[in-house]
Amino acid sequence: MTDVDQDAGAQMRAGRPEPDLRIVETRVYRGANVWSYEKAIHLVVDLGSLEDFPTNTIPGFTEHLLELLPALRDHSCSRGRRGGFVERLEEGTWLGHVTEHCALALQQVVGHDIRRGKTRQVKGERGRYNVIFGYVDERVGLAAARLAVRLVNHLVRPDPELDVADEIERFILQAERTAFGPSTQAIIDEAVSRDIPWLRLNQYSLVQLGQGVHAKRIRATMTSETSSIAVDIASDKDLTTTLLAAAGLPVPKQDAVSTADQAVTVANRIGYPVVVKPLDGNHGRGVCLDLPDEQAVREAFPIAQEQSRRGTVVVESFVLGKDYRCLIIDGRMAAIAERVPAHVIGDGTATVQELVDLTNADPRRGVGHEKILTRIKVDAAAEEVLSGQGHTWSSVPAEGEMVKLALTGNMSTGGISIDRTFEAHPENVEIAEEAARMIGLDIAGIDFICPDITQPVRETGGAICEVNAAPGFRMHTHPTIGEPQYIAKPVVDMLFPPGTPSRIPIVAVTGTNGKTTTARMISHILKGMGRKVGMTSTDGVVIDERLLIRADASGPRSARMVLQNPRVDFAVFEVARGGILREGLGYERNDVAVVLNVQPDHLGLRGIDTVEQLADVKAVLVEAVPRTGHAVLNADDPLVREMRRRCSGQVVWFSMEGPGTEVRDMIDAHCRRGGKALVVEPTDRGDLIVVRHGRRDMQLTWTHTLPSTFGGRARMNVQNALAAAAAAFAAGAPLHDIRQGLRSFSTNYYLSPGRLNEVEVNGVNVIVDYCHNAPGMKMLGDFVDRLGESLDAASELGKPSRIGIVSTAGDRRDEDMRELGEIAARHFDVVIVREDTALRGRKRGETAALVTEGVRASMERGARCKQVETVLDEIDAVRHAMSRANRGDLLVVCVDKHPSVMAELENWSQQAHPGASDNPVADPDYTPPA
């Protein structure tokens, strides 16, 4: 945005500012998009009257804003230096821009270090702006956007019902509820540092690391490798102790009981003091320590039983000593921490309550696991511990006196941790590792009670009192005293040993026409190589040649579905314009990006009004290519050619142009520099596809040998085959596999439904294709002309007629619909205009009328078409066309619902009448199917 003109008269022409800022539209991009290489939130905001009031015209705005969000002082904005945004505020900037920075600052308040953002005016719409900013958590980013708008309006005119401090506190609490815990976040951070992709699978802590066949899952510190049986054993404290004792490891005497009387009996047998705890509890809940007599055991029993899911309680001998947690990962000790129960240290003047309040004021302390330390709870349990030491909340402990507020050293009850990783005696480390192996846990927390971890417990006394599945990492990654241990590293090493892949190759295909066919060709080539291919297209999601979902699956959600599938080792995505504009790519990057063409289609939708803007949308795939990747680009399309400047990796050209042209000269120069390209070389035997790499030329195959090209007549499929071969070559496929894949791929209904499917129905040659726009009709028309010439030459019944059933989607521009009709009229003798089932905002018959206008206009200029008819229903149109077609005629059906059309054609084929005339309906006894 440019700086504001200081002409006060122009600024104040609207009078008094009103709090008119509002969000008109919100989009969440979950991958690379037209605005950013990374995920972002896109707001379209309307300033209303505030369009006339930059920040320097609103008294006190800047000062109050900086009071609310001091972090804005650090924003550099376009100035590139600290304080740059404050300069913009003082000079005057618009409030859409302020909203962007407020949303970023609010996210920074909750620890999300996001600094990416931009604000641009919506072209042609006064007062509307595109506000784009990055995010870590989608829900937090959206909440920040809404709160930012409210804050800006509040600063324009104070809202008496808005308590800003309360709203910000509420926002912080929401962010803390949705944030990952310290353990999960530590593993994710380590994965990100190794370029391992991750995906959050639910609103809690279930996360996928890696893609497809390489994917692993974690939930807090449980992983895909964690044994369910081991977790069950660790949850049963009685069984755990039995197994450890059987292995000769030091454990306390204990027994499981279900009544208070049984608990007393066991306590008397093993001797006081004892510990009473739930059989299957966690986080130290329900654990009662150092019980000296029968009465204490009876009082502790219901406390422990309440925390046990099974209602069973364990009574064990009380082992005197310090509490140590040994973290074992993949069979080896990763960290050891001494856990100190929640406590305060007296100073001789403050009460216990005051000391607790002072301790809880530490910014490192929060609720639950949201921060590295947990606030000390002031509750009945803490009061009981206090009374046992002769204190109350109003007591004033002596200076230096340690007053405990919990019996256990769990971090979740307000305890602190001291790192002892490098102080433990080797024998103690070996005992802990053996305990984890006995239980069978890949990640285990071994709780030691012993006088000193630096001395062997077999000599000093001590025991393993518990083995924990899914142990927390917080005490190790953020110890209160000592050095932090980077324990996420061995976890990620275990899941992804050095040298093992975490990503699957991704080929993404886009363009105005040919995307689906090209994606299918690439998948077919890779399938022939033995790969388990996950493919998305407008027909659905296909995993290893099995259709899982029948829908338009060319968007980012379908891509994520493929990347989550554990069978997939190669992904091929058809990427449509709509998905990019709606949500971005849905993944970080693609190894190969294929751009087939950019033609005027879908214009006038979602702010895309020109073909150049459409090219910018499709170029997102090219921008998502890493340095090690490839962009496969159509050299014959000027707009696609320009995308080479946006590619970080290598460019692979493909071209239908012959030698001696400007395009081929460019490709020749590219290959002389070591580049790659696929071209068509005309020869006496036909057109030959040649792979060029540097100065080497390698013959791939003749175009007429490819079934999908109809003997070379379907030039659009020659181009699609070039793109598919180039993509497979860039992905590392050998030439013989590419050749075999192309030669075995055909456009039959089973391999490529709805794309140049050829069937013969009662002597009528029928082509079924999903052509729906003017550029596609040009290519289809060229194919019809070439195929028609061969049919004319082979016909013994006179010159066959060419009948076309055409339509387009209702969300196209009027001129695009007319153009499709004009082009169709040049290639067909009879044009039958129908309509799709989904009218997309048009009235019934409106789309057909516009297409018909184009047909008639072309007929007036002498086009081939001699007759145009309108039959709105698709099946009725097919029946009408078949009823008037003679044997040998060519019928091209541009379909909407191709399964229904194919079923109808099959129905006609089965009802053929022997002895009927060349026109089936000419037989008076013949009745068209109902």
Side-chain angles (χ1 to χ4, degrees):
M1 294 176 62
T2 59
D3 290 339
V4 177
D5 191 302
Q6 299 299 310
D7 184 349
Q11 294 167 348
M12 298 298 293
R13 65 180 181 271
R16 183 183 178 187
E18 298 289 337
D20 293 341
L21 178 63
R22 64 188 180 91
I23 299 174
V24 177
E25 184 179 352
T26 303
R27 300 177 194 168
V28 179
Y29 301 125
R30 297 175 176 88
N33 54 82
V34 293
W35 296 101
S36 171
Y37 294 126
E38 300 179 49
K39 58 186 184 180
I41 289 175
H42 176 193
L43 307 177
V44 178
V45 300
D46 189 340
L47 268 59
S49 64
L50 294 175
E51 172 68 5
D52 297 308
F53 293 91
T55 53
N56 63 335
T57 67
I58 304 175
F61 183 91
T62 299
E63 294 76 12
H64 292 153
L65 177 62
L66 295 178
E67 287 176 10
L68 291 177
L69 297 172
L72 291 173
R73 298 182 185 275
D74 297 326
H75 288 203
S76 60
C77 197
S78 58
R79 300 296 164 85
R81 61 178 179 272
R82 184 179 182 274
F85 179 61
V86 176
E87 294 177 15
R88 296 292 302 277
L89 287 170
E90 293 171 345
E91 294 170 1
T93 188
W94 277 272
L95 298 188
H97 185 206
V98 176
T99 302
E100 167 210 327
H101 280 270
C102 287
L104 291 172
L106 285 168
Q107 292 184 84
Q108 290 163 0
V109 166
V110 297
H112 297 180
D113 188 18
I114 294 295
R115 307 179 187 184
R116 298 177 287 108
K118 64 177 69 173
T119 300
R120 300 290 184 268
Q121 188 167 14
V122 178
K123 292 183 179 179
E125 297 188 44
R126 186 176 185 277
R128 290 204 170 187
Y129 292 82
N130 293 303
V131 177
I132 300 92
F133 56 89
Y135 67 90
V136 172
D137 184 285
E138 177 182 324
R139 288 167 292 182
V140 174
L142 291 172
R146 292 189 292 268
L147 183 54
V149 170
R150 295 186 66 191
L151 290 180
V152 171
N153 280 328
H154 177 72
L155 293 173
V156 171
R157 181 182 296 178
D159 181 357
E161 297 182 0
L162 178 65
D163 185 330
V164 175
D166 184 59
E167 288 294 328
I168 292 178
E169 180 66 22
R170 195 175 303 163
F171 169 74
I172 293 172
L173 291 175
Q174 177 185 347
E176 290 172 345
R177 283 195 300 269
T178 62
F180 288 120
S183 303
T184 307
Q185 191 63 57
I187 297 174
I188 291 175
D189 291 343
E190 177 65 21
V192 169
S193 72
R194 302 188 189 193
D195 194 33
I196 296 174
W198 65 275
L199 181 66
R200 192 170 192 168
L201 299 179
N202 66 1
Q203 59 180 323
Y204 302 109
S205 297
L206 184 61
V207 175
Q208 174 178 305
L209 302 179
Q211 298 170 340
V213 71
H214 306 304
K216 306 289 185 181
R217 290 177 180 171
I218 63 170
R219 187 173 63 191
T221 59
M222 293 180 67
T223 76
S224 306
E225 311 303 312
T226 302
S227 164
S228 176
I229 294 178
V231 173
D232 286 344
I233 293 173
S235 299
D236 188 329
K237 293 178 172 51
D238 184 42
L239 178 57
T240 298
T241 302
T242 301
L243 291 177
L244 297 182
L249 300 178
V251 292
K253 298 176 182 179
Q254 70 163 44
D255 205 349
V257 299
S258 56
T259 66
D261 290 338
Q262 292 175 352
V264 170
T265 301
V266 172
N268 291 332
R269 174 164 51 85
I270 64 179
Y272 294 97
V274 297
V275 175
V276 173
K277 60 184 180 180
L279 177 71
D280 49 4
N282 52 41
H283 296 301
R285 288 188 285 265
V287 178
C288 301
L289 304 175
D290 197 13
L291 305 178
D293 52 36
E294 177 181 333
Q295 182 62 30
V297 170
R298 291 189 180 277
E299 292 176 357
F301 181 84
I303 298 175
Q305 190 177 43
E306 184 181 359
Q307 296 295 328
S308 175
R309 291 186 296 273
R310 306 180 192 177
T312 305
V313 171
V314 171
V315 180
E316 68 181 22
S317 57
F318 178 68
V319 180
L320 192 62
K322 297 178 180 179
D323 185 358
Y324 296 95
R325 164 64 63 85
C326 301
L327 181 66
I328 310 299
I329 299 175
D330 200 21
R332 303 192 65 179
M333 189 274 291
I336 297 178
E338 178 185 345
R339 300 187 296 181
V340 181
H343 67 279
V344 292
I345 304 296
D347 60 5
T349 59
T351 66
V352 173
Q353 181 65 63
E354 291 170 342
L355 292 170
V356 170
D357 293 341
L358 183 63
T359 302
N360 283 341
D362 186 338
R364 296 177 299 172
R365 290 188 180 269
V367 178
H369 292 271
E370 68 190 22
K371 293 187 178 180
I372 60 176
L373 292 173
T374 301
R375 291 174 185 164
I376 298 173
K377 293 181 180 179
V378 178
D379 55 14
E383 188 171 347
E384 185 177 345
V385 175
L386 269 180
S387 63
Q389 302 168 80
H391 286 295
T392 65
W393 293 112
S394 58
S395 299
V396 179
E399 184 175 357
E401 180 185 356
M402 178 180 176
V403 179
K404 292 184 179 181
L405 294 157
L407 293 176
T408 62
N410 294 72
M411 300 286 285
S412 57
T413 57
I416 66 171
S417 64
I418 304 172
D419 182 62
R420 303 292 189 192
T421 301
F422 302 108
E423 301 174 16
H425 192 278
E427 184 175 320
N428 296 339
V429 171
E430 183 180 340
I431 289 172
E433 291 175 346
E434 185 66 17
R437 282 191 288 269
M438 281 300 300
I439 303 304
L441 289 169
D442 58 337
I443 301 177
I446 311 299
D447 289 346
F448 256 118
I449 302 293
C450 62
D452 189 353
I453 198 70
T454 64
Q455 302 297 319
V457 296
R458 298 186 192 276
E459 298 177 7
T460 61
I464 298 173
C465 63
E466 196 168 334
V467 176
N468 298 274
F473 287 176
R474 185 168 51 151
M475 68 186 76
H476 307 292
T477 57
H478 298 88
T480 315
I481 301 172
E483 292 295 321
Q485 301 300 315
Y486 299 101
I487 52 179
K489 181 182 182 301
V491 175
V492 179
D493 281 342
M494 175 183 68
L495 298 175
F496 299 94
T500 59
S502 61
R503 297 177 180 270
I504 61 174
I506 297 175
V507 176
V509 183
T510 193
T512 302
N513 292 299
K515 300 185 293 294
T516 302
T517 300
T518 304
R520 286 171 176 159
M521 286 181 173
I522 297 170
S523 298
H524 187 73
I525 293 169
L526 297 169
K527 175 62 179 176
M529 297 170 57
R531 306 304 292 264
K532 304 292 185 183
V533 181
M535 183 186 74
T536 65
S537 71
T538 50
D539 285 335
V541 177
V542 178
I543 303 296
D544 196 22
E545 293 193 329
R546 182 179 294 276
L547 182 65
L548 298 187
I549 296 178
R550 187 185 301 277
D552 184 348
S554 57
R557 294 183 184 179
S558 304
R560 291 194 293 272
M561 183 184 301
V562 168
L563 296 177
Q564 291 179 47
N565 193 292
R567 286 194 297 155
V568 174
D569 62 11
F570 208 111
V572 179
F573 298 145
E574 176 186 342
V575 181
R577 161 211 59 89
I580 298 175
L581 291 173
R582 188 174 60 252
E583 293 186 60
L585 291 185
Y587 54 87
E588 295 175 64
R589 61 179 186 245
N590 33 242
D591 301 275
V592 180
V594 182
V595 186
L596 300 171
N597 43 63
V598 180
Q599 301 292 336
D601 190 27
H602 294 283
L603 300 182
L605 301 173
R606 289 185 176 268
I608 305 301
D609 301 313
T610 67
V611 70
E612 288 77 17
Q613 291 175 321
L614 185 61
D616 289 338
V617 174
K618 296 187 180 296
V620 169
L621 269 72
V622 179
E623 295 170 345
V625 172
R627 292 185 179 276
T628 56
H630 296 78
V632 175
L633 304 179
N634 183 359
D636 302 337
D637 189 316
L639 291 172
V640 177
R641 216 162 43 233
E642 285 301 311
M643 295 181 191
R644 70 187 184 277
R645 306 180 190 279
R646 305 189 183 192
C647 181
S648 300
Q650 299 182 48
V651 171
V652 181
W653 296 111
F654 67 93
S655 173
M656 300 277 287
E657 294 283 346
T661 61
E662 183 179 345
V663 169
R664 285 297 292 272
D665 291 343
M666 179 199 70
I667 290 177
D668 291 342
H670 172 75
C671 292
R672 284 196 296 271
R673 295 191 297 270
K676 303 173 185 177
L678 271 83
V679 297
V680 175
E681 297 285 359
T683 69
D684 294 339
R685 293 180 54 189
D687 290 342
L688 178 65
I689 298 177
V690 177
V691 178
R692 302 184 61 184
H693 186 187
R695 297 185 179 274
R696 291 187 301 161
D697 287 1
M698 296 164 280
Q699 297 180 358
L700 186 62
T701 186
W702 305 95
T703 60
H704 62 265
T705 63
L706 307 183
S708 62
T709 68
F710 290 80
R713 299 182 187 90
R715 303 298 289 174
M716 65 284 227
N717 273 355
V718 173
Q719 187 179 76
N720 294 338
L722 280 173
F729 184 60
L735 289 187
H736 63 271
D737 286 319
I738 299 174
R739 183 182 299 115
Q740 179 60 28
L742 293 179
R743 285 182 174 178
S744 59
F745 180 85
S746 69
T747 58
N748 65 59
Y749 184 71
Y750 302 100
L751 275 181
S752 188
R755 270 71 180 179
L756 286 190
N757 304 145
E758 182 183 30
V759 292
E760 183 178 322
V761 182
N762 301 342
V764 179
N765 301 289
V766 182
I767 300 292
V768 177
D769 188 73
Y770 185 64
C771 175
H772 58 281
N773 57 40
M777 185 58 70
K778 287 181 182 178
M779 293 185 285
L780 181 62
D782 176 76
F783 169 64
V784 167
D785 290 345
R786 293 172 184 269
L787 182 61
E789 290 174 3
S790 64
L791 294 176
D792 291 348
S795 176
E796 298 178 356
L797 302 174
K799 190 174 182 179
S801 294
R802 303 176 192 175
I803 306 171
I805 301 176
V806 302
S807 182
T808 188
D811 58 359
R812 303 313 198 264
R813 299 178 302 177
D814 292 0
E815 55 265 37
D816 295 333
M817 296 181 181
R818 295 188 186 97
E819 184 183 3
L820 182 139
E822 291 176 5
I823 297 170
R826 299 172 198 160
H827 303 282
F828 295 104
D829 300 304
V830 178
V831 175
I832 301 173
V833 183
R834 63 161 188 84
E835 280 191 343
D836 290 352
T837 303
L839 300 178
R840 302 194 185 189
R842 299 273 184 175
K843 295 179 180 179
R844 187 68 171 165
E846 184 180 356
T847 299
L850 290 168
V851 174
T852 302
E853 282 183 29
V855 176
R856 295 191 186 282
S858 189
M859 291 170 62
E860 291 174 0
R861 293 193 294 268
R864 180 187 181 104
C865 182
K866 298 299 184 287
Q867 185 177 357
V868 58
E869 300 174 308
T870 299
V871 182
L872 296 183
D873 182 76
E874 184 171 47
I875 299 302
D876 288 344
V878 172
R879 292 169 181 167
H880 179 68
M882 286 299 302
S883 69
R884 65 173 299 155
N886 296 308
R887 296 186 187 276
D889 285 353
L890 174 61
L891 170 61
V892 177
V893 184
C894 297
V895 294
D896 177 26
K897 308 293 185 184
H898 57 78
S900 301
V901 170
M902 296 300 289
E904 178 64 23
L905 292 173
E906 179 68 18
N907 190 29
W908 272 84
S909 179
Q910 293 174 355
Q911 296 190 35
H913 282 242
S917 66
D918 287 341
N919 184 337
V921 184
D923 187 343
D925 297 327
Y926 178 73
T927 302

